[in-house]
Amino acid sequence: MLKARIVSGILTRMSQAGLVLVVEDEDPVRRYTVSLLEDLGFTVLQASDGTEAIAILREHSTEISAMLLDHSMPGLSGEEVLAELRAEGLSVPVVLTSGHDRTSLERRFAGHDIAGYLQKPFRAEMLDETVRVAVAKRAQAS
């Protein structure tokens, strides 16, 4: 009986975790992040650059619960992706990921609505907590 309740609780948590878009140009980092999120019960879409992220968001913005966005990428930077989303009226909670410290990111992205920050390398616990806060923000906005 206890085992069935535990399994039921895990399945419920997984089904409620949400759909997360991971935007990361470094393949090993993206694969690691996707793997962690899936282990935490999230469904994950992935983009290797800002252009691909915008295309995915155009198609799935209402379904995506949160986006992990690398702030520094070749092509479109995280800041340019955010500007494009704003211009198109697409809204999704954004968690910025970066090797830079949070304080400098907060200053740089002060004009944007950022749901959270993750400094690389991050641990699974911090990823889980930060993404769940962003997903909850999306749920509250609905």
Side-chain angles (χ1 to χ4, degrees):
M1 185 67 113
L2 178 61
K3 185 176 177 182
R5 280 197 314 227
I6 291 170
V7 169
S8 175
I10 291 169
L11 292 175
T12 299
R13 182 175 176 200
M14 287 178 71
S15 67
Q16 294 175 345
L19 178 62
V20 177
L21 172 59
V22 174
V23 186
E24 170 62 60
D25 62 303
E26 294 181 43
D27 190 52
V29 175
R30 188 178 59 256
R31 283 187 309 204
Y32 173 72
T33 304
V34 167
S35 175
L36 283 177
L37 287 167
E38 289 175 342
D39 288 348
L40 293 167
F42 293 94
T43 303
V44 184
L45 296 173
Q46 49 187 304
S48 59
D49 60 36
T51 303
E52 188 178 3
I54 290 167
I56 290 169
L57 281 161
R58 283 179 183 140
E59 190 173 334
H60 300 284
S61 68
T62 59
E63 303 156 44
I64 295 174
S65 302
M67 173 172 62
L68 264 69
L69 178 63
D70 185 10
H71 106 284
S72 178
M73 298 178 289
L76 293 179
S77 69
E79 202 163 4
E80 291 168 318
V81 169
L82 291 173
E84 182 63 29
L85 295 180
R86 182 182 290 163
E88 293 190 27
L90 299 172
S91 177
V92 63
V94 174
V95 173
L96 279 176
T97 62
S98 176
H100 298 282
D101 68 283
R102 179 181 175 145
T103 305
S104 66
L105 285 177
E106 286 176 341
R107 278 196 302 268
R108 183 172 176 182
F109 288 87
H112 298 280
D113 185 21
I114 304 299
Y117 298 88
L118 278 172
Q119 186 171 353
K120 298 176 194 172
F122 45 80
R123 295 182 21 220
E125 297 82 13
M126 190 54 117
L127 175 68
D128 187 32
E129 179 182 323
T130 305
V131 173
R132 288 191 193 282
V133 166
V135 168
K137 184 174 182 174
R138 176 63 173 234
Q140 290 172 351
S142 298

